[in-house]
Structure formats: structure tokens, C-alpha cells
Amino acid sequence: MSTEEPRRRLRDRFFFKRREKEITSGPPITVSNHTPTDLSIPPPAGGISSNSGTIIASSSNAIPVLSQSTGNAALKQPSNQDPVEACSGEHSLPITQKPVVAEPSLWKLAYDELQRSNSELIMKFNYCLGISSTDTDKKGLIFPSIDRVVQKAFEELDEARNAKEKLNKTSATIRQYFEQAVKIIIASKDYVSSAVSANPYAALAWTGISLGLPLLLNPTQENEAAIQGLDRITILMMVYGWKEKLYLHDGDAASDFRDQTIRLYTMILDYVATLLVHTKQNAPKRWARDVFQAGEWSSRITSIQQRDTSCRDVTNAIADVRAKEWRDEERRWQENLLRQPRQDEERRHIRMLYTNYEAGKNVNPERISGTCEWFSNHTSFLTWRVSQSSSLLWLSADPGCGKSVLAKYLVDRKGEVLTVNTKSPTVCYFFFKDGDIDRRDGAKAICAFLHQLILQQPHLYRYAKEDFENKSEKFLTDLDALWNIFLKATANAPGREIICVLDALDECQEHSRRILTAKLVHLYTLRSSTNSGKPILKFLVTSRPDFNIVRDFKDLTSTLSEIRLRGEEESEYISREIDLVIHHKVKELGSRMDLSERDQSTLQENLLNIPHRTYLWLYLIFDSIKEKLELTKDEIAVIAKTIPKNIGQAYTAILDKSSDRERARRLLHIVLAAARPLSLHEANVAMVMEERYKSYQDLDIWRPDVSEDRIKNICGLFLSVVDSKVYLIHQTAREFLVSKEYTDSPPALQTSSSIHWE
């Protein structure tokens, strides 16, 4: 069964549940006393000795065994109340949460589950943490005074982090994972500290990791595997910290999400507890021999990742439903804005800021489930997202690696991916596009930001009003003036985090890009030193690792190296996700063309054997195959032998299929020369115009209902039509046509045919 199938069923179920709510209200959410029991957690073999004697797994009262009570009166539930005052005029995203009764935290339920299945491990874990009987009440609940344990753990971790001599002696692998895990823990320190009183059981896991990391610096194979697991767990804990805020109180999905997450948390606690007990105590040989063979840590983390996949099936299904609601809400924002009692002049001013930024985003395809996670789980992104101060993150990556698809995914998911705060952020975006004069200008990008800000927070119009009244409309092309308005508006936006996404900065016109980059560098150089008390303004920028952009950001990256996430160095992880897409696409193609399992396997194997695969290359290959009416075994064999090895060869193969190469060249010249994307009608007129025609009426215009098919028949997949406008399939397509030596296709691989199209 396709991995997409369970998610589709969940998505449909959540969708219909939401529709039912329009008719009747559901019952309040309650928590079942039942907790998962299908986890296979190996119990410790034998006792654990220490310098002070042996801890016996019996009824000893030395280490308190926490009770299985599911109550925790100290737990504070997040409020569903929008804290922004109504007078701000701010439009909120749809709130799907509803009031719930007080219930135990998921970490508490996971702790209880592990205690039931392995009480001896819990006893030893508490002992290693330094939790004594004074840290629990009569019911076994942990007191907030455990903050001293947490603080001590942070201090020991900080001491290990600064012990450079010891770090330099360990292996490069251990040092890499240690530093990555520490970076996550430091970024999460405020969250962990605040969780101690509200949710001490989550703090236990963080504390166990903080104490365990310094004990794994000896360069052994076992320690490498164990610390790699801790690195992965720190990422999962940060991710699920904000996922709980998003999904735990969603009435449509609370039970699905809760059950899967309790299982995941139980496995994480088991891993952390077992690791800390094993490394902090002088374990008997039997314990080490039975439990910790070379692959044991890897096996455990694999099981945790499998459980994480099950959780993501649930959250992805919910997110798909919410994304549609957000798009509907975005349309309603614009409608509501126009209905508000404003002066005609004010409405006209707001319309003048509009730059059709939605089309720039929506021209990109949707991501395939399981992709984009190399980025959303990356330490640099997680640190940027959890930060409660203004910050910039610049993602650089090579062409065709899915940067724009990623940016679209982040924008469409809004607060679900971009923030850890309960309150949805104000998200603004702009996608630059070479070949479109309106989408190559930095001033247009800031206009788009201002338009979106005012849509979501209408009271911010007042910061643009003076310029509209005192200047001519030409100020809308003045990047300096627009940037000043933007800064004033964002500095006075109450209560809500503002996140701006700029995609494909390398496709911005050079002069405009340099000005915009300089303003970003200046802004975040100042904010890094004087951020206290200011509203949170975050930027996420994507681009190729272009030399000029690297140079423009140098003043900032030289002092704040963490602002750059180098996607070009993550090719291994991106390649794994591309393999997932290949598997998904082959399954989809097999169903569509009724291919046997053997034929699907043959096609998939040949695609996986191509080196240097990219998302763009893959998209071109599959769209080319889909054009065939059917696939026989012989045709699959031919495809396997003729699969283009790179994007340049793929472009050549597409254009070589044209039945009229001269008309194809004419159309490509027209599209390349246009200052902006042409409408179907404009492209049609340009194609049929000849000197012999004296008037428009003489032109042999195509019928509107066949124009799109004519365009596609002439140039195939090389051109795409979105919202009745004609686009090149990708920026690399433009480079392929205008470059004498296409960078992705070295001269040795170029053919006379490829040169023909340049």
C-alpha cells in the first residue's frame, strides 16, 4: 500500500468531521485512562552497581516510584483566547481548537506507561537524575522544585561544551553530533525552564539528554551510535513541543495525535533513561552484553523514527485540511478588507500595493509527503524557529533542489511550520522570478509585504497613509521609502510574530537585490545587539549559492554564521527525499498505466541509478513518461536506456520532440524577450503576426479553447501555462536557452541538438 493512502484516509476523515461541526457541536475532549501497551521495551538485565553500593530492583524506598495517577493539578493548559485586542482590527487565522478539560500531559502519560512496563529502569533513571523523595508528593507527582536538577544538568552540559581540549580528542562524528544536540538544547533552554513547573515530565527527558551527552565523548563505536540517537531525539522533542500546541486540542484529531505521540514519547524516555543509566553507572558485563551490542542504539532510534512517521501521517493529514482553510481565509481577508468602511482613496491606495504575489507562489507544485523534512528538521531552522527574537535565516541550495516548492510549503502551512508560538504569526511572502519584470524588483516585494500586512492587520495602513498623501505614486517604486514604511509598520504590530519569506533572491534584478540585501544585513546587525523589547520580525530567504549573494551577506555571516543554512551541503538528505518521490511517482504511474510490479521495479531501479538527481530533473522525466498512452515492457526497457542524465539533456529531449522546430524556436524567442509572462492571447498574437498582415482582423488567431493545447504541442513541457499565462518551466530553462555552455551539461555531454536550441 502506498504511504500516501493512510494519510489520504485520515485527511478525508478529518475533513468530514469538520463539516459535521457546522451542523452540531461535538462533545468535550476527554482523556482515556488507557495508555498504549504494544511497545516492546527490553527490560534491564540485573542490577546496577555504583560506588555507594547496589540499587536493588525491589520495594526499596531509597528511590521513589512515581504513582500511576493520571492527574496533575499543576498542569496549565494553553489558552485558546486571542490576546490581541479587538480594537487592533487584526484578522486572526481560523481557530480550530476548543476549550478542553484539564488533562495530564502526554509526557506524564508516557512516563506512566514506561513505569508500568519497566519500573526498575524508572527507579534507576530518577536516581541518576538526582531526584529524591523530597522532589515528589504523596501521590508520586514531581514537584516544581525539580528545577534545581534541570539547572545542574544545564551547567554540566555547558561545562562539557567549553572543555575544548576534551572535545578535540574525540572523534569528528561524535563532536559533530554533540555540537548539534547542544545547539538544539541551548535554543530550547527557555522552553525547558518554563516547562519545569507546568510539565516537569518533559523536562525530565531534556535533563536526561543534557546529563548523558557529556558522558559519550569517548571515541567508541557504541558512543557514536548512541550520541547520533540523542541528536535525532533532541530534534524530535523540539518539533513535537510545537506540534502539541497545534494538534493536541484539535477536536477532530486529538485522539489520533495523542495516542501516537504517547507511544513516541514512551520510546524516547526509554532511550534516554536506558542511555543515562548505562553510561552513568558502572554497569555489570551482563547488562552491557545483553542490551548494548553494536547495533542496539541504531535499532532503537530506527524504531523511534518509525513511530515518528506514524505521527506525521496524522499531522500531515490535519495540515492538508487546514491549508485549504487558510487559503479560503486568505481570500476572505481580501473580501472583508474591501467591505470595511474606508474612504475610496484609502481602498485605492491598498489596491495599489497589490502585486499578484499569490500567482508567484502558486505556480510552484505542491510538495510530496515526506519531503522538505531535511529542512524542517535541520538544526539551523529549528533554532531560528524557536528563537523569541528577530532573526534571519538564509537557505542557499543548488538549482533544481526544490527551494521554491519548500518555500511554498512553508507559506501554505503558515504557523504550523514557521513558529513555535501558540498564536499564529503574520506571514508575508514574495517569490522572485527572472523573466517577469514585476517579480524581479525588490520594491515590488516590499509592496507585497505591506499589502499582506494590511490585510492581516488593517490598522497598519496608517504608516503608509502619509506617503500616499504627500508623494506621487512613484514612491511605490522607491525601495528606500517602502522599506521605511515596512519597518515602521512592523515595529508597531502588536502581539504577533511577523515572518517574511523571500524566495529566489538570486532572480531579483541585481541593483535592486544589492539594495535589499544591504537593508537586511543592516537590520539584523542592529537587531542582534539591540533586540530587547522589540516586536519579533523574522526573515527566511532562499537563493542559489551565488557568489554575489554570498558576498552581499558576508558582513552578517562573518559574525553570525548560524544565519546561513547551506543546502548544497545537505545533498545526501535531499537525495533520500528525492528517492521517496521516485517511489511515490512510480507507484502513481503504475496505477495510472496498469504496470506490473516487475515493470515498476525496473523503472524505479533505473531512475535510482542516475547520479546527481534533482527534483526538477525528476519532474521533467515523469511528465515526459506520462505523455505516453501506454507503456509496454519494450518501451520501459528503451526508457531505461535513454533516461537523460541531467537537466540539460532532459531539456534537449523535450524540445527534440517538437513536430515543428522552427515554430518552437519562434515561440521560445518570444517568451524569452517578453518583459513579463505573456497571456495565452498575447502569445497567440505574437506567434501568428507577419508583415503581410495590415490589421488585427487579418490575424489568424487561434480559438481561445485550443490556445493552451497549441502552446504545449509546440514546446511540450518546456513551457507551462498557469492562470492563462505562459511561463518557462524553471529558471534553468532560461539559462539553457541563453547560455553557450549550460552549467548542468558540460561540453562533453552536449549534443548538436542541444546546441541547436541555445
Side-chain angles (χ1 to χ4, degrees):
M1 180 187 296
S2 170
T3 55
E4 181 70 13
E5 194 63 22
R7 176 181 169 188
R8 184 187 62 78
R9 290 200 300 267
L10 284 166
R11 183 173 60 235
D12 292 346
R13 177 155 61 86
F14 298 150
F15 178 80
F16 287 119
K17 279 185 177 181
R18 289 183 187 274
R19 299 290 74 80
E20 289 172 5
K21 281 186 174 181
E22 296 175 0
I23 303 173
T24 181
S25 299
I29 303 172
T30 56
V31 176
S32 168
N33 287 330
H34 171 73
T35 49
T37 56
D38 64 342
L39 299 173
S40 177
I41 304 174
I48 293 185
S49 62
S50 68
N51 294 334
S52 58
T54 303
I55 304 173
I56 306 297
S58 64
S59 59
S60 170
N61 293 321
I63 304 297
V65 179
L66 303 191
S67 85
Q68 297 175 13
S69 167
T70 58
N72 189 348
L75 181 62
K76 296 179 181 177
Q77 295 298 328
S79 171
N80 292 315
Q81 181 70 32
D82 191 336
V84 177
E85 296 179 2
C87 64
S88 70
E90 184 175 356
H91 290 274
S92 299
L93 289 173
I95 297 176
T96 56
Q97 301 173 353
K98 63 181 181 179
V100 296
V101 297
E103 55 189 45
S105 74
L106 301 191
W107 283 104
K108 171 69 170 74
L109 295 173
Y111 185 95
D112 289 343
E113 174 57 35
L114 183 57
Q115 183 172 266
R116 278 191 286 272
S117 62
N118 199 342
S119 60
E120 181 185 4
L121 179 61
I122 287 293
M123 290 172 62
K124 296 169 182 175
F125 181 47
N126 287 341
Y127 181 80
C128 292
L129 292 176
I131 298 176
S132 65
S133 57
T134 59
D135 292 312
T136 59
D137 63 14
K138 294 180 180 179
K139 294 182 179 180
L141 295 175
I142 299 175
F143 278 154
S145 60
I146 193 179
D147 59 358
R148 62 174 175 78
V149 177
V150 175
Q151 184 61 35
K152 180 182 178 183
F154 280 143
E155 290 173 358
E156 291 188 14
L157 183 62
D158 192 56
E159 184 179 338
R161 181 169 65 101
N162 293 318
K164 302 298 183 184
E165 185 177 347
K166 187 172 183 179
L167 282 174
N168 291 334
K169 290 180 179 179
T170 192
S171 69
T173 301
I174 288 179
R175 184 165 57 251
Q176 174 191 351
Y177 286 118
F178 176 84
E179 290 173 350
Q180 288 179 178
V182 169
K183 188 176 181 181
I184 290 288
I185 292 172
I186 290 174
S188 306
K189 186 175 180 180
D190 291 340
Y191 164 76
V192 176
S193 298
S194 64
V196 169
S197 58
N199 188 2
Y201 295 91
L204 286 182
W206 285 106
T207 305
I209 294 171
S210 300
L211 290 174
L213 280 169
L215 303 175
L216 297 173
L217 294 180
N218 289 332
T220 67
Q221 187 175 1
E222 179 188 319
N223 283 355
E224 283 192 7
I227 203 168
Q228 184 175 356
L230 284 186
D231 174 62
R232 179 61 188 164
I233 283 173
T234 56
I235 291 174
L236 287 175
M237 290 180 64
M238 179 179 276
V239 168
Y240 279 86
W242 61 265
K243 281 191 176 184
E244 279 194 49
K245 296 178 181 179
L246 290 167
Y247 304 121
L248 184 56
H249 302 301
D250 188 309
D252 303 321
S255 59
D256 298 88
F257 175 76
R258 183 186 62 236
D259 292 345
Q260 292 290 350
T261 307
I262 290 171
R263 290 179 170 89
L264 176 66
Y265 286 177
T266 307
M267 299 174 81
I268 288 175
L269 276 173
D270 173 63
Y271 187 102
V272 173
T274 304
L275 175 66
L276 186 62
V277 170
H278 173 61
T279 54
K280 201 164 186 179
Q281 305 292 326
N282 296 318
K285 292 182 179 179
R286 180 183 175 189
W287 171 274
R289 183 177 66 250
D290 290 348
V291 182
F292 304 106
Q293 297 297 328
E296 179 63 24
W297 296 118
S298 298
S299 175
R300 284 171 176 248
I301 203 64
T302 297
S303 298
I304 290 173
Q305 289 173 322
Q306 290 170 348
R307 181 59 63 186
D308 170 47
T309 299
S310 299
C311 292
R312 283 188 280 113
D313 285 340
V314 174
T315 57
N316 283 337
I318 306 169
D320 286 344
V321 174
R322 287 186 176 180
K324 180 180 183 303
E325 293 175 347
W326 274 326
R327 286 192 291 270
D328 292 342
E329 183 70 11
E330 195 169 35
R331 284 192 292 271
R332 286 195 292 272
W333 282 341
Q334 298 193 35
E335 294 171 1
N336 291 337
L337 184 66
L338 296 177
R339 292 195 191 104
Q340 290 178 12
R342 294 178 180 271
Q343 296 179 0
D344 290 342
E345 186 178 41
E346 187 173 332
R347 283 197 292 269
R348 184 173 64 86
H349 290 166
I350 294 171
R351 289 193 184 100
M352 288 166 61
L353 292 170
Y354 182 63
T355 61
N356 196 21
Y357 46 82
E358 301 102 322
K361 169 176 70 72
N362 294 333
V363 72
N364 298 290
E366 299 283 344
R367 69 139 192 170
I368 299 296
S369 179
T371 62
C372 297
E373 292 180 6
W374 72 269
F375 176 81
S376 60
N377 288 337
H378 195 282
T379 304
S380 295
F381 173 67
L382 293 173
T383 304
W384 173 84
R385 182 177 59 190
V386 79
S387 173
Q388 294 302 300
S389 60
S390 297
S391 52
L392 167 72
L393 181 62
W394 166 35
L395 166 65
S396 63
D398 293 325
C401 289
K403 297 185 295 297
S404 295
V405 173
L406 168 64
K408 179 181 187 296
Y409 160 69
L410 295 173
V411 169
D412 284 345
R413 292 298 188 265
K414 297 187 185 288
E416 292 203 11
V417 183
L418 289 170
T419 186
V420 296
N421 295 323
T422 342
K423 184 174 177 55
S424 299
T426 296
V427 177
C428 306
Y429 62 88
F430 189 81
F431 287 59
F432 287 108
K433 181 69 175 176
D434 194 10
D436 184 344
I437 193 170
D438 289 333
R439 289 173 56 198
R440 296 190 66 214
D441 187 1
K444 294 290 186 182
I446 306 305
C447 280
F449 286 169
L450 288 172
H451 189 264
Q452 292 168 82
L453 276 173
I454 295 171
L455 282 181
Q456 298 173 70
Q457 302 188 45
H459 64 287
L460 296 179
Y461 165 75
R462 65 178 180 267
Y463 297 103
K465 183 178 180 180
E466 182 179 348
D467 287 80
F468 274 115
E469 292 178 344
N470 298 332
K471 299 179 181 178
S472 69
E473 295 178 2
K474 290 183 179 180
F475 95 90
L476 293 174
T477 63
D478 185 343
L479 182 52
D480 289 325
L482 291 166
W483 182 257
N484 289 335
I485 297 171
F486 174 75
L487 291 183
K488 285 189 291 184
T490 55
N492 292 278
R496 179 167 287 182
E497 182 179 15
I498 299 173
I499 299 176
C500 298
V501 178
L502 272 179
D503 179 63
L505 182 61
D506 53 288
E507 297 187 41
C508 178
Q509 189 271 335
E510 183 178 3
H511 177 68
S512 182
R513 188 201 71 228
R514 287 183 175 175
I515 295 175
L516 184 56
T517 306
K519 292 185 179 301
L520 287 171
V521 169
H522 179 70
L523 173 65
Y524 287 103
T525 300
L526 290 177
R527 296 241 175 177
S528 65
S529 57
T530 59
N531 191 68
S532 177
K534 294 185 178 181
I536 299 175
L537 173 61
K538 293 183 178 180
F539 264 83
L540 174 61
V541 179
T542 76
S543 77
R544 297 183 187 183
D546 180 85
F547 170 78
N548 291 317
I549 297 178
V550 173
R551 181 184 58 193
D552 292 343
F553 274 123
K554 188 174 181 180
D555 287 345
L556 197 56
T557 55
S558 60
T559 55
L560 299 170
S561 59
E562 66 273 12
I563 73 159
R564 183 179 181 186
L565 196 166
R566 300 172 184 265
E568 59 272 23
E569 296 178 359
E570 304 294 330
S571 57
E572 179 183 350
Y573 298 101
I574 296 175
S575 181
R576 291 176 190 170
E577 291 193 0
I578 291 174
D579 292 348
L580 288 177
V581 178
I582 290 176
H583 179 75
H584 171 85
K585 291 285 190 181
V586 168
K587 285 286 186 183
E588 187 181 74
L589 192 68
S591 176
R592 176 177 175 173
M593 294 189 165
D594 197 25
L595 299 181
S596 68
E597 290 290 335
R598 183 175 180 180
D599 289 342
Q600 291 181 45
S601 178
T602 300
L603 180 59
Q604 179 171 305
E605 182 180 348
N606 281 282
L607 289 169
L608 291 173
N609 284 335
I610 300 295
H612 311 302
R613 302 178 295 282
T614 66
Y615 284 110
L616 176 61
W617 167 85
L618 194 61
Y619 173 81
L620 296 172
I621 296 298
F622 274 99
D623 271 31
S624 178
I625 294 174
K626 285 178 182 177
E627 289 182 335
K628 298 181 179 296
L629 296 177
E630 62 177 353
L631 278 180
T632 65
K633 290 183 179 179
D634 291 340
E635 286 176 320
I636 291 176
V638 171
I639 289 173
K641 293 178 181 178
T642 58
I643 292 175
K645 301 298 187 294
N646 54 52
I647 295 175
Q649 291 184 10
Y651 284 149
T652 299
I654 290 169
L655 293 175
D656 280 349
K657 292 178 182 177
S658 174
S659 57
D660 190 334
R661 293 194 177 193
E662 287 309 310
R663 294 188 79 195
R665 287 181 64 85
R666 178 182 172 89
L667 180 55
L668 293 173
H669 275 113
I670 291 170
V671 172
L672 280 173
R676 57 166 175 77
L678 299 175
S679 68
L680 284 170
H681 180 69
E682 289 169 336
N684 182 356
V685 170
M687 279 293 292
V688 301
M689 188 177 292
E690 296 180 14
E691 289 185 11
R692 60 190 175 93
Y693 294 130
K694 303 301 181 182
S695 69
Y696 177 81
Q697 286 71 25
D698 294 335
L699 299 179
D700 185 17
I701 301 295
W702 305 330
R703 294 199 326 269
D705 60 322
V706 301
S707 294
E708 183 173 343
D709 290 337
R710 289 279 183 93
I711 295 288
K712 291 181 176 178
N713 286 337
I714 293 172
C715 287
L717 300 172
F718 206 86
L719 297 177
S720 64
V721 178
V722 179
D723 294 334
S724 298
K725 291 188 176 181
V726 183
Y727 297 87
L728 290 166
I729 189 68
H730 192 264
Q731 173 62 12
T732 53
R734 176 179 298 274
E735 294 165 2
F736 171 80
L737 293 173
V738 302
S739 175
K740 292 183 178 180
E741 186 175 324
Y742 183 61
T743 55
D744 195 45
S745 183
L749 294 177
Q750 289 187 338
T751 63
S752 58
S753 180
S754 69
I755 296 173
H756 168 78
W757 293 109
E758 292 175 353

